[in-house]
Amino acid sequence: MVVLLEHITSDFRQALRADKARSACRLSGSCRSGAATSHQEPRMTTATPHTEPEPARTIDDARERIDALDDRIIGLVQERMAVSAVVQQTRIASGGRRVSLSREMEILGRYRDALGKPGTALAMTLLELCRGRI
């Protein structure tokens, strides 16, 4: 989970650098193929009434990325719910209990280790969603 978070953070930072380079290219009007790379310094320009201030643009871009991540997270939770239903049905069909408390404790521990105390709350919510009504 920590590796995934570091990867997402790294991807976001790269996307922001690339977007800043593209913005600088658009503002300066000197765009050429391959001219806007993340290692170039953007040219200093004055903002016109038609351009968005840099902080607002950064926030908008970050929010779009968050919305895309949320869509992926929701899809993954729905997929997890479906897989959990298969596990529960199989366990019941073989004479077992629908819920395995030891397995749930493993999941709680994994989320707590990766995310701290809020991770435990997140894991509890996921388990509640995935186990269905008891």
Side-chain angles (χ1 to χ4, degrees), residues 22-85:
R22 283 191 298 275
S23 294
C25 179
R26 283 193 301 268
L27 289 172
S28 68
S30 64
C31 296
R32 279 182 247 139
S33 179
T37 59
S38 61
H39 67 277
Q40 289 179 328
E41 291 292 321
R43 292 183 185 197
M44 296 299 290
T45 60
T46 22
T48 64
H50 303 297
T51 61
E52 229 176 304
E54 190 64 30
R57 173 69 175 208
T58 300
I59 290 169
D60 288 345
D61 291 347
R63 286 181 176 162
E64 284 181 26
R65 179 87 169 130
I66 287 170
D67 290 344
L69 290 167
D70 285 343
D71 289 342
R72 288 172 49 198
I73 291 167
I74 290 167
L76 289 170
V77 169
Q78 291 170 333
E79 183 179 348
R80 189 186 194 289
M81 291 168 65
V83 171
S84 183

Side-chain angles (χ1 to χ4, degrees), residues 99-120:
V99 175
S100 170
L101 296 178
S102 63
R103 174 67 176 146
E104 288 192 357
M105 293 306 292
E106 288 177 31
I107 293 166
L108 289 169
R110 187 167 60 208
Y111 275 77
R112 182 190 60 243
D113 292 346
L115 303 171
K117 187 176 179 181
T120 304

